[in-house]
Amino acid sequence: MSQSTGIIRDDLYKEHLADYPHPESPQRLEAIYDMLDSDDIGKRLLLISPRSATHDELAWIHSRSYIERVALTDGVSHMSLDPDTQTTPLSYKAAILAAGGLFSLIDKIFDGTVRNGFALVRPPGHHAERDRAMGFCLFNNVALAAMYAHHKYSIKRTLIVDWDLHHGNATQHSFYTDPKVLYFSTHQYPYYPGSGGLTEVGHGDGTGYTVNVPLSAGQGDSEFFAVFKQILCPIASAFKPELVLVSAGFDTYAGDPLGSMKVTPQGFAALTRVLMDIAGEYASDRLAMTLEGGYNLTGLRDSVRAVLKELMQESILTDSDLQTLESGTAPPIVDKVIQVQRSYWAAL
Ligand SMILES: [Zn+2]
């Protein structure tokens, strides 16, 4: 088993919305890539070349008519697919390389080249519905990755953890009736996109395989840590995922212009450690993260660095950081989530 951590990066990801004013800007990846080039951790990460997702692969999650609609933006100077979601000439190519980049990372995890990794891609994905672009997202990268692992590696239980500030409406919808994928989301609520209420738990065979933790504004490291420890860990130990995927958004960072949470780089590192423990216990360490939101460039850079350090087992966390995290109190919503989810998860 390899001990290394892989990253997906490519300059094409910076071409989406190049020279177009938007909070989901190329400068986000520039801040991360510049950090990797100037920091010695960049040299110790394995750079994996991304490939593009095919239309047949995109059709696991999206309708053919929607895929065609996005493909038609290729080379077009500017299109608006949704009030928040625009394209520029290379957006379509960047979007299929974002989804496919996650497939390339998963291949390297399954062939043992790396033990885990982070797809540093854009556009993000978790709001992209079957039939429409939404919330800065074109194709649902993380949902497509779960389908890829299922089709290529016969994975029957994938855990998707979504710690972005916003609820991943489209990831939830993609697997709402599907027990192969357990979707766990922490998000500010009520807030954009409006979904992610406590009682949205899945439907039919998927009942209990959607776990929403709707949080009030102002939660920080210890509250998120308590949510992960008290809700996610018991459920994951019962579900026993064969693969852990993460919609890693950094708009919960303290100081993000879009959100009102208070998570710090240490907090993201601690959440990563919890996920690595779950992946180590049940999934042979298989853990793949993909970038979603995060709009404070300094916060994004420092938080991604902390997460990468954790993935590389070079943690920035001190014993006193961990003591502070462990001694925090859980937000009141934790009891309410447990009451709802206890019907499906006896371990709670
Ligand atoms: Zn977000």
Side-chain angles (χ1 to χ4, degrees):
M1 174 71 57
S2 167
Q3 294 303 305
S4 64
T5 294
I7 52 164
I8 299 290
R9 70 177 271 187
D10 195 291
D11 285 342
L12 183 57
Y13 299 132
K14 293 195 284 185
E15 295 297 326
H16 168 56
L17 302 179
D19 306 318
Y20 184 86
H22 198 284
E24 203 288 278
S25 69
Q27 285 71 45
R28 300 177 59 234
L29 278 186
E30 218 160 79
I32 297 170
Y33 292 180
D34 284 352
M35 176 271 291
L36 293 172
D37 290 338
S38 59
D39 190 299
D40 65 317
I41 70 165
K43 297 185 192 71
R44 299 196 305 286
L45 290 160
L46 188 83
L47 183 61
I48 298 165
S49 298
R51 66 146 168 116
S52 300
T54 66
H55 283 203
D56 284 349
E57 290 166 338
L58 297 172
W60 289 328
I61 293 294
H62 298 284
S63 68
R64 295 276 176 180
S65 60
Y66 174 66
I67 296 164
E68 284 304 322
R69 207 177 317 148
V70 181
L72 284 172
T73 71
D74 190 20
V76 178
S77 64
H78 171 241
M79 296 272 277
S80 202
L81 299 175
D82 161 83
D84 299 319
T85 316
Q86 286 76 32
T87 61
T88 49
L90 290 169
S91 294
Y92 162 72
K93 287 199 172 75
I96 57 175
L97 196 70
L102 210 40
F103 302 168
S104 301
L105 173 57
I106 285 172
D107 284 339
K108 292 297 179 193
I109 289 173
F110 275 89
D111 77 10
T113 307
V114 295
R115 69 202 289 267
N116 55 33
F118 201 152
L120 300 165
V121 302
R122 49 186 293 281
H126 70 157
H127 297 307
E129 293 280 7
R130 176 176 162 73
D131 212 21
R132 68 188 179 109
M134 213 179 124
F136 316 166
C137 301
L138 298 182
F139 297 123
N140 194 326
N141 306 322
V142 81
L144 287 161
M147 293 303 292
Y148 181 75
H150 175 65
H151 284 290
K152 181 141 186 207
Y153 298 105
S154 305
I155 293 299
K156 294 179 184 66
R157 290 181 311 281
T158 296
L159 170 64
I160 297 179
V161 174
D162 186 334
W163 76 37
D164 189 273
L165 173 76
H166 303 94
H167 182 244
N169 54 293
T171 309
Q172 171 170 303
H173 292 154
S174 296
F175 304 111
Y176 209 55
T177 59
D178 185 349
K180 288 194 304 295
V181 177
L182 172 57
Y183 178 64
F184 176 94
S185 176
T186 49
H187 44 274
Q188 189 168 325
Y189 187 89
Y191 203 56
Y192 184 89
S195 53
L198 191 61
T199 55
E200 294 169 27
V201 296
H203 184 70
D205 290 346
T207 305
Y209 294 89
T210 293
V211 181
N212 281 305
V213 186
L215 296 166
S216 54
Q219 313 293 324
D221 295 351
S222 59
E223 288 88 357
F224 275 85
F225 189 73
V227 165
F228 273 46
K229 285 294 216 190
Q230 294 180 29
I231 305 173
L232 177 61
C233 287
I235 291 177
S237 69
F239 180 65
K240 298 185 171 48
E242 299 169 284
L243 172 67
V244 180
L245 299 176
V246 185
S247 270
F250 297 90
D251 34 12
T252 53
Y253 173 76
D256 189 277
L258 268 56
S260 322
M261 294 297 185
K262 295 178 179 167
V263 182
T264 71
Q266 281 77 8
F268 290 113
L271 300 183
T272 303
R273 184 176 296 188
V274 174
L275 298 174
M276 287 171 73
D277 287 345
I278 290 170
E281 189 77 25
Y282 306 107
S284 309
D285 288 327
R286 294 188 288 252
L287 171 65
M289 298 199 168
T290 188
L291 185 65
E292 301 283 1
Y295 306 97
N296 176 311
L297 298 185
T298 309
L300 178 64
R301 178 197 68 195
D302 294 349
S303 301
V304 167
R305 182 177 184 277
V307 166
L308 287 169
K309 292 275 283 181
E310 198 66 37
L311 290 173
M312 298 163 79
Q313 296 183 304
E314 298 178 8
S315 185
I316 64 160
L317 292 169
T318 63
D319 288 346
S320 101
D321 288 334
L322 284 167
Q323 272 165 13
T324 310
L325 287 163
E326 309 241 357
S327 62
T329 46
I333 193 72
V334 165
D335 281 341
K336 292 187 182 144
V337 174
I338 289 173
Q339 274 168 32
V340 168
Q341 293 289 342
R342 202 174 264 154
S343 312
Y344 318 109
W345 303 101
L348 285 170

